[in-house]
mmCIF file of all heavy atoms in Angstrom:
data_model
loop_
_atom_site.group_PDB
_atom_site.id
_atom_site.type_symbol
_atom_site.label_atom_id
_atom_site.label_comp_id
_atom_site.label_asym_id
_atom_site.label_seq_id
_atom_site.Cartn_x
_atom_site.Cartn_y
_atom_site.Cartn_z
ATOM 1 N N ASN A 26 -22.925 23.608 55.837
ATOM 2 C CA ASN A 26 -24.319 23.142 55.836
ATOM 3 C C ASN A 26 -25.301 24.307 55.935
ATOM 4 O O ASN A 26 -26.429 24.223 55.463
ATOM 5 C CB ASN A 26 -24.552 22.175 57.009
ATOM 6 C CG ASN A 26 -23.690 20.941 56.869
ATOM 7 O OD1 ASN A 26 -23.267 20.607 55.767
ATOM 8 N ND2 ASN A 26 -23.404 20.267 57.983
ATOM 9 N N ASP A 33 -33.007 28.005 52.399
ATOM 10 C CA ASP A 33 -34.339 27.674 52.940
ATOM 11 C C ASP A 33 -35.001 28.900 53.538
ATOM 12 O O ASP A 33 -36.186 29.164 53.332
ATOM 13 C CB ASP A 33 -34.183 26.664 54.090
ATOM 14 C CG ASP A 33 -34.351 25.257 53.596
ATOM 15 O OD1 ASP A 33 -34.406 25.087 52.367
ATOM 16 O OD2 ASP A 33 -34.408 24.345 54.451
ATOM 17 N N ASP A 36 -36.205 31.049 50.877
ATOM 18 C CA ASP A 36 -37.411 30.495 50.258
ATOM 19 C C ASP A 36 -38.645 30.761 51.129
ATOM 20 O O ASP A 36 -39.747 30.928 50.630
ATOM 21 C CB ASP A 36 -37.250 28.980 50.035
ATOM 22 C CG ASP A 36 -36.210 28.705 48.948
ATOM 23 O OD1 ASP A 36 -35.860 29.662 48.216
ATOM 24 O OD2 ASP A 36 -35.727 27.556 48.859
ATOM 25 N N SER A 105 -27.869 37.728 51.854
ATOM 26 C CA SER A 105 -28.218 38.788 52.834
ATOM 27 C C SER A 105 -29.040 39.894 52.176
ATOM 28 O O SER A 105 -28.684 40.398 51.110
ATOM 29 C CB SER A 105 -26.941 39.405 53.427
ATOM 30 O OG SER A 105 -26.261 38.462 54.208
ATOM 31 N N GLN A 161 -37.031 49.170 56.051
ATOM 32 C CA GLN A 161 -36.549 48.315 54.955
ATOM 33 C C GLN A 161 -37.404 47.066 54.763
ATOM 34 O O GLN A 161 -37.623 46.619 53.650
ATOM 35 C CB GLN A 161 -35.088 47.925 55.226
ATOM 36 C CG GLN A 161 -34.624 46.736 54.439
ATOM 37 C CD GLN A 161 -33.394 47.037 53.597
ATOM 38 O OE1 GLN A 161 -32.791 48.098 53.691
ATOM 39 N NE2 GLN A 161 -33.021 46.089 52.753
ATOM 40 N N LYS A 178 -31.571 35.344 73.458
ATOM 41 C CA LYS A 178 -30.126 35.517 73.287
ATOM 42 C C LYS A 178 -29.375 35.259 74.597
ATOM 43 O O LYS A 178 -28.282 34.703 74.595
ATOM 44 C CB LYS A 178 -29.803 36.937 72.789
ATOM 45 C CG LYS A 178 -29.969 37.160 71.314
ATOM 46 C CD LYS A 178 -29.066 36.326 70.430
ATOM 47 C CE LYS A 178 -27.607 36.631 70.573
ATOM 48 N NZ LYS A 178 -26.774 35.732 69.708
ATOM 49 N N SER A 219 -32.857 26.713 69.443
ATOM 50 C CA SER A 219 -32.463 25.311 69.612
ATOM 51 C C SER A 219 -31.074 25.171 70.252
ATOM 52 O O SER A 219 -30.665 24.085 70.647
ATOM 53 C CB SER A 219 -32.453 24.604 68.245
ATOM 54 O OG SER A 219 -31.350 25.063 67.481
ATOM 55 N N ASP A 289 -29.231 42.983 80.556
ATOM 56 C CA ASP A 289 -29.991 43.068 81.810
ATOM 57 C C ASP A 289 -31.498 42.943 81.516
ATOM 58 O O ASP A 289 -32.123 43.861 80.993
ATOM 59 C CB ASP A 289 -29.673 44.410 82.485
ATOM 60 C CG ASP A 289 -30.413 44.580 83.800
ATOM 61 O OD1 ASP A 289 -31.134 43.639 84.213
ATOM 62 O OD2 ASP A 289 -30.277 45.666 84.405
ATOM 63 N N LEU A 349 1.259 46.112 74.019
ATOM 64 C CA LEU A 349 2.141 46.554 75.111
ATOM 65 C C LEU A 349 1.406 46.495 76.456
ATOM 66 O O LEU A 349 1.917 45.946 77.440
ATOM 67 C CB LEU A 349 2.653 47.984 74.835
ATOM 68 C CG LEU A 349 3.489 48.606 75.946
ATOM 69 C CD1 LEU A 349 4.780 47.823 76.164
ATOM 70 C CD2 LEU A 349 3.820 50.081 75.630
#
Side-chain angles (χ1 to χ4, degrees):
N26 297 337
D33 265 9
D36 291 345
S105 293
Q161 162 124 7
K178 279 298 295 178
S219 72
D289 180 3
L349 175 64

